[in-house]
């Protein structure tokens, strides 16, 4: 960009050159390298979006220095400098990543504000008392000091300036939180210090907490407050841990849960439909295909008795290979069009897809948050299973060959419709008997289908509904917890 361009309200000559300059490029590479190291160390949950560093450039006034932010939806270990967003200090996006080829998603900018001072339009805000999706949460930031006792004055000023806040961030230190709505944060990762607790209590009582005459900064008082605080937070922590479900197994649906529905409907189904004739011709005399044909014969006979539309009789083998294959193709195409969840179809589709994967004509697709979650659960000692209407072989194929590598190493087993219909509670009773838990409630089942969640709950399992792009809408009165990413579990 030639001439003068306004950036952050400060005139900057040749903004494009600035964006492509050494300091910005080095900062982009630094953020990518940090994300990879965070992944190795097990730090930062989720994909690591919104990790932010200000570009240090002595030639630019500090208020106008740019910000480099890591994208949302890209695994930390896979981030590269080209994935980064560059923002003005006011939050305006000045440079964004180039689109990625299918099936990779283009990195998206985090919804977090660059300075993390004000937060709005985020669903999790509703977890803080008195705040809703459209409300703005303001969290003051104060500078750190050499000793915590020296934070008293700035804490007092921050709370006085923001009387409705329930947290204060301390640069290069951590976050102080209070209030019942932050109980889960209190019992997991935040700072529990006697000084802060005493300061809050005195502030609520209207006492000048900075005055030495109250003596709350004496060592003896430190000990009393610290002991009481330990008891309070220990009890709160035990209560929180007791309220958490005891999960030993997680059972996952595939379509609409680990994998986009579009991958199944727009890639897998058409591939099976277009290659069914070719597959049957080339494998007609194999034991595997003969078994597939017998299953289809039995299914078609049952369909004919029930008067299901689209099915036609399959002639006996002595009618000739061509005639048998022709009738099989007609029936299979009708089954695929009707999206039948039947073992005979799913088994044949799995065998057709196997050829596609082996010939590199197909590649498994999962949502970007899935690999990290599978690894995290696996490392935490949780057994992970798949339960899908697709055949077990088809399930394995999806996870065998993905852009994230072979994910089967995290999976303990696969269930398909041979164990029962996914909308039947008995199926989930069978699964609970098979995975070796003491009680069904130790199993979490995640699906995108409400009726499947109902059946799993009826069998005693914990059930969560997955909300993914392309999934069918849920009714407003459903009683299940919902998630949009496995990072929420």
């Amino acid at each position: 960009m030639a001439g003068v361009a306004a950036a952050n309200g400060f005139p900057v000559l040749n903004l494009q050159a600035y964006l492509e300059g050494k300091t910005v490029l080095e900062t982009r590479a630094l953020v990518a390298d940090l994300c990879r190291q965070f992944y190795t160390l097990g730090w930062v949950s989720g994909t690591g979006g919104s990790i932010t560093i200000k570009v240090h450039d002595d030639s630019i006034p500090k208020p106008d220095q740019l910000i480099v932010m890591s994208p949302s939806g890209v695994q930390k270990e896979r981030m590269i400098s080209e994935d980064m967003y560059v923002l003005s200090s006011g939050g305006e996006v000045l440079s964004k990543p180039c689109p990625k080829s299918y099936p990779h998603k283009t990195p998206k900018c985090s919804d977090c504000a660059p300075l993390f001072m004000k937060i709005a339009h985020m669903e999790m805000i509703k977890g803080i008392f008195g705040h809703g999706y459209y409300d703005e949460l303001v969290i003051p930031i104060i500078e750190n000091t050499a000793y915590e006792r020296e934070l008293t004055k700035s804490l007092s000023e921050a709370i006085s300036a923001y009387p409705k806040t329930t947290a204060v961030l301390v640069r290069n230190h951590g976050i102080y939180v209070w209030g019942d709505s932050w109980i889960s944060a209190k019992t997991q990762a935040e700072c529990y210090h006697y000084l802060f607790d005493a300061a809050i209590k005195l502030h609520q009582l209207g006492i000048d907490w900075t005055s030495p005459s109250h003596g709350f900064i004496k060592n003896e008082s430190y000990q009393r407050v610290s002991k009481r605080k330990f008891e309070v937070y220990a009890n709160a922590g035990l209560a929180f841990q007791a309220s958490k479900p005891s999960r030993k197994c997680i059972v996952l649906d595939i379509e609409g849960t680990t994998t986009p529905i579009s991958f199944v409907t727009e890639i897998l189904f058409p591939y099976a439909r277009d290659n069914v004739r070719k597959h049957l011709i080339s494998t007609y005399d194999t034991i595997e295909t003969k078994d597939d044909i017998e299953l289809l014969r039995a299914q078609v006979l049952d369909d004919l008795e029930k008067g299901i539309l689209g099915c036609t009789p399959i002639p006996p083998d002595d009618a000739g290979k061509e005639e048998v294959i022709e009738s099989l193709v007609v029936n299979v195409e009708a089954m695929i069009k009707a999206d039948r969840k039947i073992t005979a179809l799913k088994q044949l589709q799995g065998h057709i897809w196997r050829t596609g994967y082996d010939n590199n004509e197909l590649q498994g697709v999962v949502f970007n948050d899935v690999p990290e979650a599978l690894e995290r659960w696996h490392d935490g000692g949780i057994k992970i299973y798949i339960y899908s209407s697709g055949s077990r072989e088809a399930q394995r194929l999806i996870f065998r060959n993905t852009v994230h590598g072979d994910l089967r190493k995290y999976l303990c087993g696969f269930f398909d419709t041979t164990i029962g219909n996914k909308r039947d509670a008995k199926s989930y009773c069978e699964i609970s008997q098979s995975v070796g838990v003491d009680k069904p409630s130790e199993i979490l089942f995640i699906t995108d289908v409400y009726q499947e969640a109902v059946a799993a709950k009826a069998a005693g399992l914990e059930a969560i509904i997955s909300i993914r792009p392309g999934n069918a809408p849920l009714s407003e009165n459903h009683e299940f917890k919902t998630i949009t990413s496995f990072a929420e579990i």
Side-chain angles (χ1 to χ4, degrees), residues 73-135:
V74 179
Q75 300 303 114
K76 294 189 294 296
E77 72 276 19
R78 296 178 179 273
M79 283 189 187
I80 57 177
S81 60
E82 289 78 7
D83 291 335
M84 302 301 149
Y85 279 80
V86 181
L87 295 79
S88 68
S89 61
E92 177 187 3
V93 175
L94 303 178
S95 174
K96 59 184 179 179
C98 295
K100 291 182 177 285
S101 60
Y102 181 86
H104 305 286
K105 292 185 177 179
T106 299
K108 106 177 177 67
C109 192
S110 171
D111 292 330
C112 297
L115 299 181
F116 307 103
M117 277 288 295
K118 297 181 179 180
I119 303 172
H121 295 86
M122 293 183 67
E123 183 179 0
M124 293 308 294
I125 289 180
K126 68 185 182 183
I128 300 174
F129 181 76
H131 289 77
Y133 176 79
Y134 295 103
D135 295 324

Side-chain angles (χ1 to χ4, degrees), residues 225-243:
V225 177
S226 181
K227 180 180 179 182
R228 174 59 183 153
K229 188 169 189 62
F230 175 80
E231 293 173 352
V232 171
Y233 283 126
N235 291 334
L238 290 172
F240 178 74
Q241 292 297 328
S243 68

Side-chain angles (χ1 to χ4, degrees), residues 416-433:
D416 60 15
T417 51
T418 57
I419 203 168
N421 189 289
K422 294 186 69 180
R423 301 188 181 191
D424 188 343
K426 292 181 180 179
S427 303
Y428 300 91
C429 292
E430 289 292 330
I431 289 175
S432 65
Q433 292 291 326

Side-chain angles (χ1 to χ4, degrees), residues 372-406:
E372 185 173 352
L374 294 180
E375 181 179 14
R376 172 164 47 86
W377 298 336
H378 179 269
D379 292 346
I382 295 177
K383 295 182 178 180
I384 309 166
Y385 296 86
I386 302 296
Y387 180 29
S388 173
S389 57
S391 69
R392 289 182 297 171
E393 180 165 20
Q395 296 171 26
R396 292 188 186 96
L397 290 169
I398 286 180
F399 293 97
R400 184 190 74 180
N401 180 23
T402 76
V403 294
H404 306 280
D406 191 341

Side-chain angles (χ1 to χ4, degrees), residues 7 16 41 47 72 90 105 147 151 177 251-252 258 278 296 312 370 392 398 407 416 427 458 474 487:
Q16 193 62 35
L41 294 169
T47 55
S72 177
K105 292 185 177 179
Y147 301 98
L151 291 172
V177 295
V251 178
L252 302 171
T258 67
K278 177 181 176 182
L296 285 167
T312 60
V370 171
R392 289 182 297 171
I398 286 180
L407 301 179
D416 60 15
S427 303
L474 290 172

Side-chain angles (χ1 to χ4, degrees), residues 1-7 11-21 60 66:
M1 182 183 298
V4 178
V12 178
L13 292 174
N14 203 338
L15 177 60
Q16 193 62 35
Y18 181 27
L19 290 171
E20 297 173 358
I60 304 296
L66 301 183

